[in-house]
Amino acid sequence: MGKYLGLDSSTQSLTGLIIDTRTGQLEAEVSIPFDAHFKAAYGIDKGVLHLGGGQVHSAPLMWAEALDLLLQTLRDQGHDLGQIEAIAGSGQQHGTVYLNETAAGALGQLRGTAPLRDQLAGIFSRATSPIWMDTSTTAQCQELEAGVGGRGALLELTGNTAFERFSGPQIRKFAQEDPAAYGRTAYIGLVSSYMASLLAGKLVAVDPGDGSGTNLMDIRSRQWSPRALAACAPDLDHKLLPITPADRPAGPLSPYFVSRYGFAPGCQVFPFSGDNPCSLIGLGLVEPGQVALSLGTSDTLFACMDQPRVSALGEGAVFASPDGTHYMALICFLNGSLAREAVRDRHHLDWPGFTAALRQTPPGNQGALMLPYFAPEIVPRVAEAGVVRHRLDANNPQAEVRAVIEAQALSSRIHSEWMGVAIRSLCVTGGASTNEEILKIFADVHGCPVYRFETANAAALGAALRAHHGHLKASGAPRPWKEIVAPFAKPLPGSTIQPNPAATAVYKTLIDEYRKLEQAHIG
Ligand code: ADP
Ligand code: XUL
């Protein structure tokens, strides 16, 4: 035994990762990309539905279908799921799932003879879920802040000013725009709690890590704030699933998965958390100090903190760490992989061509700069998409490729200053962290080494480690986090990228130029 499964339900894919804690090995790592399997059935593009006016949703029934497909794939690959002791997971943060009053019964009666899709299609009071890319809730952000006594009051209470992508503003918008469907909603959860509920065959609570991405949780008590709930939407205290400690078992796995995929009946399910909080664990950031960079659909830069240091500028977010004691500071850039892909596709390149362009161009790009707002941006706040080119030829593919990466790295440097953390190294994860040329630019701009790891799926790994930690604790033999993460969250030998001092010197002067360009365009 000693095996644990971590799941990551992200924007574009569902990943499953199995660790063997006796050998310290990753035993399996499988991803189900949503577009490859569900594009036609759900009408998605890169995992999401663009509904106009900044509304970006996805389909919770699709995530359930992906769960069946992932477990079937693991089984087909010969993995004995009967050896898994416990499962935990991670979900893209902030997205909200709306269930009607039949949901609890349907989850409790799942039969192994038919797929989840067929049994759960009727449980939603809203067929689609707004996700973190949704920028349509500016009015609701203002109303929520005003409702608790102002921006400063919400920041003090929840650790965060109101953000368009956070769950509270999403819920308020739904309650305002479709009060009938809101009235039919018996339960509101997050992507994380929804995925955990499928596995446990019952409604599973939200963990404090993901709860802190709602604008509704008291960051110090790690419970819903009655004041924030009242300011958000009617009757929300009855609809929103409760908050539970991340290491309290949610229950045994539903018999559905036991009969269909051969899991052991006693396999435990732990609450899921957000993808960034899980990545914090998966990269071994269980003590303050180190800083991490995730280059996924979004780019995020985050650090572990002792206390919830807040960002008064409203740029950074603060979440509770799923380790139960610490906090994390995070900055989220919406124009991460989507911007890199936009440049790649605009110039008809593939990843090798994109990477070659980075090799062929000099640090500093001969003064060419880009503000890469291919979509509205979270940090800095940019409401309308619009790419700005400064001394940059839009028809020069090489310069464009370098410009987008340098912009992302410079922006991550400028907008992390509020964290008050000296960035002495960066632990990297996410799909684009497999690209060494991209990482070199981040190392040079930050002037620090970049550490790489065996897996680029730190969120799924962090989830598996959470399952291990929780399972030991529940069995009466708890072990400190440091010992749990040590065998897995260690940089790959020989893979560290050191900054090039000459390039770092170039970027030192460019930082101010980039800052000025940004200020000139966004005020
Ligand atoms: P998420 O978990 O947010 O869905 P991932 O961390 O799985 O995203 O990252 C997926 C992204 O990784 C893809 O959208 C793609 O843009 C990017 N990616 C994959 N390979 C490369 C590469 N060689 N160079 C740059 N980006 C890459
Ligand atoms: C973080 C954020 C994104 C999502 C999707 O605040 O919005 O990083 O978690 O990965």
Side-chain angles (χ1 to χ4, degrees):
M1 301 289 270
K3 296 189 183 178
Y4 297 91
L5 171 63
L7 298 173
D8 174 30
S9 181
S10 76
T11 315
Q12 301 196 59
S13 59
L14 176 69
T15 299
L17 188 149
I18 299 173
I19 55 171
D20 185 335
T21 56
R22 287 163 318 173
T23 61
Q25 302 285 320
L26 299 187
E27 182 179 301
E29 193 169 2
V30 170
S31 280
I32 303 296
F34 298 141
D35 279 18
H37 298 278
F38 307 116
K39 199 175 168 94
Y42 290 92
I44 51 158
D45 181 24
K46 297 190 196 294
V48 307
L49 296 154
H50 290 274
L51 302 180
Q55 298 181 93
V56 184
H57 288 205
S58 190
L61 194 60
M62 175 182 80
W63 302 329
E65 250 198 272
L67 180 59
D68 268 330
L69 184 56
L70 174 75
L71 297 176
Q72 188 59 50
T73 307
L74 282 167
R75 226 184 158 191
D76 291 347
Q77 290 183 355
H79 299 289
D80 177 5
L81 300 179
Q83 293 187 20
I84 305 288
E85 310 232 37
I87 307 174
S90 114
Q92 54 172 309
Q93 292 188 261
H94 318 300
T96 37
V97 180
Y98 302 79
L99 304 173
N100 61 33
E101 77 284 347
T102 69
L107 286 166
Q109 288 157 22
L110 289 172
R111 289 162 290 104
T113 46
L116 292 174
R117 179 198 56 215
D118 295 356
Q119 300 184 65
L120 296 179
I123 69 170
F124 303 97
S125 58
R126 190 182 195 186
T128 60
S129 290
I131 63 154
W132 66 275
M133 291 168 72
D134 195 296
T135 54
S136 69
T137 58
T138 305
Q140 289 74 20
C141 286
Q142 288 160 1
E143 291 159 4
L144 187 55
E145 286 179 346
V148 297
R151 190 161 217 238
L154 188 67
L155 181 65
E156 170 60 23
L157 182 63
T158 69
N160 293 292
T161 55
F163 286 106
E164 277 79 356
R165 71 189 191 285
F166 274 34
S167 323
Q170 293 176 3
I171 295 168
R172 182 170 175 82
K173 183 176 161 87
F174 181 51
Q176 286 174 339
E177 295 187 352
D178 195 348
Y182 181 77
R184 286 195 301 276
T185 302
Y187 313 102
I188 301 176
L190 305 183
V191 178
S192 53
S193 61
Y194 166 72
M195 295 303 290
S197 302
L198 299 180
L199 289 165
K202 65 176 187 185
L203 293 163
V204 174
V206 173
D207 98 301
D210 224 12
S212 33
T214 59
N215 281 139
L216 302 173
M217 192 186 88
D218 180 326
I219 190 71
R220 288 174 185 82
S221 70
R222 302 189 181 214
Q223 286 300 321
W224 297 130
S225 153
R227 195 148 59 97
L229 297 193
C232 180
D235 209 20
L236 188 52
D237 50 339
H238 293 115
K239 296 181 195 279
L240 200 55
L241 294 172
I243 296 186
T244 182
D247 62 1
R248 183 174 297 163
L253 189 63
S254 157
Y256 171 88
F257 298 96
V258 175
S259 73
R260 212 169 158 95
Y261 302 111
F263 281 96
C267 177
Q268 275 179 339
V269 178
F270 283 87
F272 280 32
S273 186
D275 53 1
N276 292 293
C278 284
S279 292
L280 190 77
I281 305 289
L283 290 166
L285 274 61
V286 292
E287 286 180 341
Q290 273 181 317
V291 180
L293 175 72
S294 171
L295 302 172
T297 304
S298 61
D299 287 351
T300 56
L301 190 124
F302 50 87
C304 178
M305 300 187 292
D306 266 331
Q307 293 299 324
R309 190 201 316 272
V310 298
S311 149
L313 284 176
E315 289 202 327
V318 172
F319 304 132
S321 165
D323 73 6
T325 49
H326 292 109
Y327 296 87
M328 69 185 291
L330 174 138
I331 321 157
C332 178
F333 303 95
L334 193 144
N335 285 283
S337 279
L338 298 181
R340 292 185 282 274
E341 286 174 17
V343 172
R344 182 198 63 183
D345 297 345
R346 197 169 171 268
H347 297 289
H348 311 291
L349 299 168
D350 52 12
W351 286 127
F354 187 96
T355 309
L358 292 176
R359 262 190 229 109
Q360 290 156 6
T361 44
N365 216 6
Q366 292 166 329
L369 288 174
M370 174 193 280
L371 299 181
Y373 310 136
F374 290 86
E377 183 50 76
I378 297 168
V379 176
R381 207 179 271 257
V382 178
E384 297 281 333
V387 177
V388 176
R389 292 180 173 82
H390 176 70
R391 298 198 292 259
L392 175 65
D393 176 2
N395 297 316
N396 178 341
Q398 273 78 20
E400 283 259 297
V401 167
R402 178 161 283 276
V404 70
I405 304 297
E406 289 189 341
Q408 293 174 328
L410 288 164
S411 181
S412 75
R413 166 102 198 240
I414 291 167
H415 295 286
S416 55
E417 284 165 3
W418 70 272
M419 284 184 177
V421 178
I423 302 183
R424 296 202 181 85
S425 63
L426 283 171
C427 299
V428 290
T429 188
S433 74
T434 54
N435 190 319
E436 190 169 340
E437 293 303 317
I438 293 178
L439 298 184
K440 279 184 188 162
I441 295 177
F442 277 88
D444 292 342
V445 167
H446 284 272
C448 72
V450 165
Y451 298 128
R452 291 190 282 175
F453 298 82
E454 182 180 356
T455 173
N457 285 311
L461 173 60
L465 293 171
R466 288 185 45 234
H468 183 206
H469 179 266
H471 183 243
L472 291 181
K473 188 171 173 194
S475 337
R479 275 177 49 202
W481 271 111
K482 255 184 110 167
E483 285 178 27
I484 299 284
V485 301
F488 294 93
K490 50 175 193 263
L492 267 185
S495 75
T496 300
I497 297 173
Q498 295 294 345
N500 166 357
T504 300
V506 171
Y507 290 126
K508 230 178 188 154
T509 55
L510 218 53
I511 289 169
D512 277 334
E513 254 197 78
Y514 186 87
R515 200 194 303 266
K516 279 189 207 130
L517 183 66
E518 206 184 75
Q519 281 165 356
H521 280 85
I522 60 173

Coordinates of all heavy atoms in Angstrom, one line a residue, residues 242-279:
P242 N -20.4 24.3 3.6 CA -19.6 24.8 4.7 C -18.1 24.7 4.4 O -17.7 24.1 3.4 CB -20.0 23.9 5.9 CG -20.6 22.7 5.3 CD -21.2 23.1 4.0
I243 N -17.3 25.3 5.3 CA -15.8 25.1 5.2 C -15.4 24.1 6.2 O -15.9 24.0 7.3 CB -15.2 26.5 5.6 CG1 -15.5 27.5 4.5 CG2 -13.6 26.3 5.6 CD1 -14.8 28.9 4.6
T244 N -14.4 23.2 5.8 CA -13.9 22.2 6.6 C -12.4 22.2 6.6 O -11.8 22.6 5.6 CB -14.4 20.8 6.1 OG1 -13.9 19.8 7.0 CG2 -13.9 20.5 4.7
P245 N -11.7 21.8 7.6 CA -10.2 21.7 7.5 C -9.8 20.8 6.4 O -10.5 19.8 6.2 CB -9.8 21.2 8.9 CG -11.0 21.5 9.8 CD -12.2 21.5 9.0
A246 N -8.8 21.2 5.7 CA -8.4 20.4 4.5 C -7.9 19.0 4.8 O -7.9 18.1 4.0 CB -7.2 21.2 3.8
D247 N -7.6 18.7 6.1 CA -7.0 17.4 6.4 C -8.1 16.5 7.1 O -7.8 15.5 7.7 CB -5.7 17.5 7.2 CG -6.0 18.2 8.5 OD1 -7.1 18.6 8.9 OD2 -4.9 18.4 9.3
R248 N -9.3 17.0 7.2 CA -10.4 16.2 7.8 C -11.0 15.3 6.7 O -11.5 15.8 5.7 CB -11.4 17.0 8.5 CG -12.5 16.2 9.2 CD -13.5 17.1 9.9 NE -12.8 17.9 11.0 CZ -13.3 19.0 11.6 NH1 -14.5 19.4 11.2 NH2 -12.7 19.6 12.5
P249 N -11.0 13.9 6.9 CA -11.5 13.1 5.8 C -12.9 13.4 5.5 O -13.7 13.7 6.4 CB -11.4 11.6 6.4 CG -10.4 11.7 7.5 CD -10.4 13.2 8.0
A250 N -13.3 13.4 4.2 CA -14.6 13.7 3.8 C -15.5 12.5 3.9 O -16.7 12.5 3.9 CB -14.6 14.3 2.4
G251 N -14.8 11.3 3.9 CA -15.6 10.0 3.9 C -14.9 9.0 3.0 O -13.9 9.3 2.3
P252 N -15.5 7.8 3.0 CA -14.9 6.8 2.1 C -15.3 7.1 0.6 O -16.3 7.8 0.4 CB -15.5 5.5 2.6 CG -16.8 5.9 3.3 CD -16.6 7.3 3.8
L253 N -14.6 6.6 -0.3 CA -14.9 6.7 -1.7 C -16.3 6.1 -2.0 O -16.7 5.1 -1.5 CB -13.8 6.0 -2.5 CG -13.8 6.1 -4.0 CD1 -13.5 7.6 -4.4 CD2 -12.7 5.2 -4.6
S254 N -17.0 6.8 -2.9 CA -18.4 6.2 -3.3 C -18.3 4.8 -3.8 O -17.3 4.5 -4.6 CB -19.0 7.2 -4.3 OG -20.0 6.5 -5.1
P255 N -19.2 4.0 -3.5 CA -19.2 2.6 -4.0 C -19.2 2.6 -5.6 O -18.7 1.6 -6.2 CB -20.5 2.0 -3.5 CG -20.9 2.8 -2.4 CD -20.3 4.2 -2.6
Y256 N -19.6 3.7 -6.2 CA -19.6 3.8 -7.7 C -18.2 3.5 -8.2 O -17.9 2.7 -9.1 CB -20.0 5.2 -8.1 CG -19.8 5.5 -9.5 CD1 -20.8 5.2 -10.5 CD2 -18.6 6.1 -10.0 CE1 -20.6 5.5 -11.8 CE2 -18.4 6.4 -11.3 CZ -19.4 6.1 -12.2 OH -19.2 6.4 -13.5
F257 N -17.2 4.1 -7.5 CA -15.8 4.0 -8.0 C -15.2 2.7 -7.6 O -14.3 2.2 -8.3 CB -14.9 5.2 -7.5 CG -15.4 6.5 -8.0 CD1 -16.3 7.3 -7.2 CD2 -15.1 7.0 -9.2 CE1 -16.8 8.5 -7.6 CE2 -15.6 8.2 -9.7 CZ -16.4 9.0 -8.9
V258 N -15.7 2.1 -6.5 CA -15.2 0.8 -6.1 C -15.6 -0.2 -7.1 O -14.8 -1.0 -7.6 CB -15.8 0.5 -4.7 CG1 -15.4 -0.9 -4.2 CG2 -15.3 1.5 -3.7
S259 N -16.9 -0.2 -7.5 CA -17.3 -1.3 -8.4 C -16.9 -1.0 -9.8 O -16.6 -1.9 -10.6 CB -18.9 -1.4 -8.4 OG -19.5 -0.3 -9.0
R260 N -16.7 0.2 -10.2 CA -16.4 0.5 -11.6 C -14.9 0.4 -11.9 O -14.5 0.0 -13.0 CB -16.9 1.9 -12.0 CG -17.3 2.0 -13.4 CD -18.1 3.4 -13.6 NE -18.0 3.7 -15.0 CZ -19.0 3.5 -15.9 NH1 -20.0 2.8 -15.5 NH2 -18.8 3.9 -17.1
Y261 N -14.1 0.9 -11.0 CA -12.6 1.0 -11.2 C -11.8 0.1 -10.3 O -10.5 0.2 -10.4 CB -12.2 2.4 -11.2 CG -13.0 3.3 -12.2 CD1 -13.9 4.2 -11.8 CD2 -12.8 3.1 -13.6 CE1 -14.7 5.0 -12.7 CE2 -13.6 3.8 -14.5 CZ -14.5 4.7 -14.0 OH -15.2 5.5 -14.9
G262 N -12.4 -0.6 -9.4 CA -11.6 -1.5 -8.5 C -10.9 -0.8 -7.4 O -9.9 -1.4 -6.8
F263 N -11.3 0.4 -6.9 CA -10.8 0.9 -5.7 C -11.2 0.1 -4.5 O -12.2 -0.6 -4.5 CB -11.3 2.4 -5.5 CG -10.7 3.4 -6.4 CD1 -11.3 3.8 -7.6 CD2 -9.5 4.0 -6.0 CE1 -10.7 4.8 -8.4 CE2 -8.9 5.0 -6.8 CZ -9.6 5.4 -8.0
A264 N -10.4 0.2 -3.4 CA -10.7 -0.5 -2.2 C -11.9 0.3 -1.5 O -11.9 1.5 -1.6 CB -9.5 -0.5 -1.3
P265 N -12.8 -0.5 -0.9 CA -14.0 0.2 -0.3 C -13.5 1.2 0.8 O -14.2 2.2 1.0 CB -14.8 -1.0 0.4 CG -14.2 -2.2 -0.3 CD -12.9 -1.9 -0.8
G266 N -12.4 1.0 1.5 CA -12.0 1.9 2.6 C -11.2 3.1 2.1 O -10.7 3.9 2.9
C267 N -11.0 3.2 0.8 CA -10.2 4.4 0.2 C -10.8 5.7 0.7 O -12.0 5.9 0.5 CB -10.1 4.2 -1.3 SG -9.2 5.6 -2.1
Q268 N -10.0 6.5 1.3 CA -10.6 7.8 1.9 C -10.5 8.9 0.9 O -9.6 9.0 0.1 CB -9.7 8.2 3.1 CG -10.1 7.6 4.4 CD -9.2 8.0 5.5 OE1 -8.1 8.5 5.3 NE2 -9.8 7.9 6.7
V269 N -11.5 9.8 1.0 CA -11.5 11.0 0.2 C -11.3 12.2 1.1 O -11.9 12.3 2.2 CB -12.8 11.2 -0.6 CG1 -12.8 12.5 -1.4 CG2 -13.1 10.0 -1.5
F270 N -10.3 13.1 0.7 CA -10.1 14.3 1.5 C -10.6 15.5 0.7 O -10.7 15.4 -0.5 CB -8.6 14.5 1.8 CG -8.1 13.6 2.9 CD1 -7.7 12.3 2.6 CD2 -8.2 14.0 4.2 CE1 -7.4 11.4 3.6 CE2 -7.8 13.2 5.2 CZ -7.4 11.9 4.9
P271 N -11.0 16.6 1.4 CA -11.5 17.8 0.7 C -10.4 18.2 -0.3 O -9.2 18.1 -0.1 CB -11.6 18.8 1.8 CG -11.7 18.0 3.1 CD -10.9 16.8 2.9
F272 N -10.9 18.7 -1.5 CA -10.0 19.2 -2.5 C -9.7 20.7 -2.1 O -10.4 21.3 -1.3 CB -10.7 19.3 -3.9 CG -10.7 17.9 -4.6 CD1 -10.7 16.7 -3.9 CD2 -10.6 17.9 -6.0 CE1 -10.7 15.5 -4.6 CE2 -10.6 16.7 -6.7 CZ -10.7 15.5 -6.0
S273 N -8.6 21.2 -2.6 CA -8.3 22.6 -2.4 C -8.1 23.3 -3.8 O -8.4 22.7 -4.8 CB -7.0 22.8 -1.6 OG -6.8 24.1 -1.3
G274 N -7.7 24.5 -3.8 CA -7.4 25.2 -5.1 C -6.1 24.7 -5.7 O -5.3 24.1 -5.1
D275 N -6.0 25.0 -7.0 CA -4.8 24.5 -7.7 C -3.5 25.2 -7.2 O -2.5 24.6 -7.0 CB -4.9 24.6 -9.2 CG -5.3 25.9 -9.8 OD1 -5.5 26.9 -9.0 OD2 -5.4 26.0 -11.0
N276 N -3.6 26.5 -6.9 CA -2.4 27.2 -6.5 C -2.1 26.8 -5.0 O -0.9 26.5 -4.8 CB -2.6 28.7 -6.6 CG -2.6 29.1 -8.0 OD1 -1.6 29.0 -8.7 ND2 -3.7 29.6 -8.5
P277 N -3.0 26.7 -4.1 CA -2.7 26.2 -2.8 C -2.1 24.8 -2.8 O -1.2 24.5 -2.1 CB -4.0 26.2 -2.0 CG -4.8 27.3 -2.7 CD -4.4 27.3 -4.1
C278 N -2.6 23.9 -3.7 CA -2.0 22.6 -3.8 C -0.6 22.6 -4.4 O 0.3 21.9 -4.0 CB -2.9 21.7 -4.7 SG -4.4 21.1 -3.8
S279 N -0.4 23.5 -5.4 CA 1.0 23.7 -5.9 C 1.9 24.1 -4.9 O 3.1 23.7 -4.9 CB 1.0 24.7 -7.1 OG 0.2 24.2 -8.2

